[in-house]
Amino acid sequence: FFLYVQVSLTLDISANLETLFTWNTKQVFVFLAAEYETPKNALNQISLWDSIIPSKEQAKLRIDTTNKYRFIDQGSNLRGKDFNLTLHWHVMPKTGKMLADKLVLSGFRLPEAYR
């Protein structure tokens, strides 16, 4: 018998990533992750949404959606859990080293009980 909790979120994502594009940028991979701690793991990271941005002209994001990937945890670790939403981006160059960075949005909490 396997128990798990699954969370569905409505996401309203706005970001201007134009400054990540230079003459050497091939594309930018961006993803939104829910990140939280449990007694077993210092960092649990669940990808909720992702996209590949192929050009500077498409780098102004304005997305209203539900999570693309399931926000799920084995057991009941998500009930009442504090979590961060972290926007990660990886700049993939035409030549040279790939660069990565992130923006952490904290202060989210899941309810103690679900329907």
Side-chain angles (χ1 to χ4, degrees):
F1 186 59
F2 182 71
L3 292 176
Y4 66 90
V5 172
Q6 181 173 321
V7 177
S8 179
L9 299 173
T10 300
L11 305 170
D12 182 3
I13 303 168
S14 296
N16 185 344
L17 303 176
E18 289 179 321
T19 58
L20 300 177
F21 283 84
T22 68
W23 65 270
N24 192 35
T25 305
K26 180 177 180 179
Q27 62 188 16
V28 175
F29 174 68
V30 60
F31 71 97
L32 184 71
E35 298 177 342
Y36 60 97
E37 294 179 10
T38 59
K40 245 184 178 177
N41 300 303
L43 176 64
N44 293 275
Q45 187 179 64
I46 300 172
S47 181
L48 302 175
W49 171 88
D50 64 15
S51 184
I52 294 173
I53 304 168
S55 68
K56 184 176 183 173
E57 293 73 32
Q58 296 173 327
K60 283 188 178 179
L61 302 179
R62 181 73 177 105
I63 299 156
D64 293 308
T65 188
T66 57
N67 43 302
K68 184 175 177 181
Y69 306 109
R70 296 190 313 166
F71 188 169
I72 193 169
D73 189 78
Q74 295 175 1
S76 58
N77 289 325
L78 294 177
R79 295 178 189 273
K81 180 61 66 184
D82 291 324
F83 69 100
N84 298 327
L85 289 174
T86 304
L87 187 66
H88 296 262
W89 56 89
H90 297 256
V91 179
M92 299 174 186
K94 295 174 185 168
T95 183
K97 186 173 110 175
M98 186 168 65
L99 303 172
D101 207 350
K102 65 184 176 184
L103 174 66
V104 179
L105 305 167
S106 59
F108 297 95
R109 177 180 282 248
L110 294 169
E112 292 285 344
Y114 305 110
R115 3 177 199 135

